[in-house]
Amino acid sequence: MSTPVEEFTVQHEGVSISVSRGGAGQVLVLCPGLTSSRAELHELIALLRCAFEVVAFDLRGHGLSSAAQDYSFAALSGDVAAVMTEILRRAVASKPVLVGHSLGADLLVHYAAQHPDAIGGLVVIDGANPLPAPFITAVDLPELQAMWGALGQWRDSLLGTAKQVLLTPRQILDLNLELDVIRSGIDLDIDVVGPGILEQYRRIDCPVQLIMSTSMGGDSARAPRHNRLWRAGVERLVRERPAITTTWLDADHGLVVTHARQIVDTIGAGFVASARGSGSVQR
């Protein structure tokens, strides 16, 4: 018998963030990635609710959340912090586990690094990867511009639905470029090397579980390079944090849709591994 689902909104800087809460058990907070929504992840959320209490929300400009002027990583991080403040205010019995896909994973890693005492665990799904070099180079940029530019019809077809994406192709590309710098710590435009997301992981002491795709780059011409970088970034992180549990799924970046059951099973197994205090790598 399914449990009731509560729907509510969180207001932050003039933006309404749409949130749902349902299921029973350990609280999981789920954050979708860029151009994704709760509606797209309905199977994953439904399966997780069979074992957990799932709080999920749409990013600004996605799904049932409202549009905004600012879609920077800082603005999105502020929304995440506002949602988490509301969740914790609602008397969560235990520290929640954060589960994020792609951009959602990066946002939650940054939140966990800033609030380590509030988090019980972290599940990173194909995101928040401390890459040794940026994905997007001058060679990649024309292909990405063409790809997002060609998706205008797809974007228009979703308007007014729970899967809508209100960002323009340019805003999506700009956020991808910003995310590349955040992950690698390297800004090719101004030749600056910074700490990158690896520094955020160093501030987190809760159990961390990675669920990564073997074909993150999809079938683009640059996919082999991107897939090598993706694996190298994970290896870099595990060298730094050997207790991290890593699972590789034979999938592309859409694994949250195509491999929902495997992801839920992996998360469940990760809870068992965390209880035993051991990390592992599955291939």
Side-chain angles (χ1 to χ4, degrees), residues 229-241:
L229 274 177
W230 203 241
R231 186 170 286 272
V234 171
E235 291 170 349
R236 180 187 185 197
L237 176 56
V238 172
R239 283 196 300 271
E240 176 93 11
R241 297 283 304 274

Side-chain angles (χ1 to χ4, degrees), residues 192-252:
V192 170
V193 179
I197 202 168
L198 189 60
E199 180 60 32
Q200 305 300 321
Y201 279 106
R202 290 175 178 143
R203 301 173 185 172
I204 299 170
D205 57 9
C206 66
V208 178
Q209 183 179 11
L210 307 182
I211 303 175
M212 295 294 188
S213 68
T214 56
S215 300
M216 196 279 185
D219 57 2
S220 70
R222 303 286 289 169
R225 173 182 178 271
H226 291 166
N227 292 338
R228 287 194 299 270
L229 274 177
W230 203 241
R231 186 170 286 272
V234 171
E235 291 170 349
R236 180 187 185 197
L237 176 56
V238 172
R239 283 196 300 271
E240 176 93 11
R241 297 283 304 274
I244 287 177
T245 299
T246 307
T247 300
W248 291 95
L249 295 184
D250 186 13
D252 61 21

Side-chain angles (χ1 to χ4, degrees), residues 14-234:
V15 178
S16 296
I17 305 300
S18 183
V19 188
S20 62
R21 181 176 184 176
Q26 169 70 49
V27 174
L28 300 185
V29 179
L30 176 64
C31 182
L34 182 60
T35 73
S36 186
S37 63
R38 290 175 297 155
E40 185 181 28
L41 305 187
H42 64 92
E43 182 183 4
L44 177 65
I45 293 171
L47 290 170
L48 284 170
R49 283 178 180 158
C50 294
F52 305 102
E53 180 179 342
V54 181
V55 182
F57 61 96
D58 291 327
L59 297 172
R60 59 172 57 194
H62 293 72
L64 300 180
S65 293
S66 65
Q69 295 295 318
D70 186 358
Y71 291 106
S72 66
F73 191 86
L76 291 161
S77 292
D79 293 343
V80 170
V83 170
M84 288 301 303
T85 296
E86 178 62 17
I87 292 169
L88 295 173
R89 185 190 71 80
R90 289 174 176 244
V92 174
S94 59
K95 295 181 180 180
V97 173
L98 308 185
V99 182
H101 171 237
S102 191
L103 166 64
D106 293 80
L107 292 168
L108 294 183
V109 166
H110 277 73
Y111 178 85
Q114 295 161 12
H115 305 86
D117 295 336
I119 305 306
L122 185 62
V123 181
V124 171
I125 305 174
D126 228 30
N129 192 333
L131 302 171
F135 259 15
I136 305 171
T137 66
V139 175
D140 301 290
L141 200 53
E143 182 181 347
L144 279 175
Q145 288 172 327
M147 180 185 74
W148 288 116
L151 288 177
Q153 186 175 357
W154 163 82
R155 176 178 172 271
D156 291 346
S157 72
L158 298 177
L159 291 177
T161 75
K163 295 183 180 181
Q164 70 180 351
V165 177
L166 301 177
L167 287 75
T168 66
R170 182 71 240 185
Q171 288 169 328
I172 293 171
L173 179 58
D174 286 346
L175 188 49
N176 270 291
L177 290 168
E178 184 181 9
L179 192 57
D180 220 19
V181 175
I182 289 169
R183 288 174 177 171
S184 67
I186 303 170
D187 191 331
L188 297 177
D189 288 340
I190 56 177
D191 195 27
V192 170
V193 179
I197 202 168
L198 189 60
E199 180 60 32
Q200 305 300 321
Y201 279 106
R202 290 175 178 143
R203 301 173 185 172
I204 299 170
D205 57 9
C206 66
V208 178
Q209 183 179 11
L210 307 182
I211 303 175
M212 295 294 188
S213 68
T214 56
S215 300
M216 196 279 185
D219 57 2
S220 70
R222 303 286 289 169
R225 173 182 178 271
H226 291 166
N227 292 338
R228 287 194 299 270
L229 274 177
W230 203 241
R231 186 170 286 272
V234 171

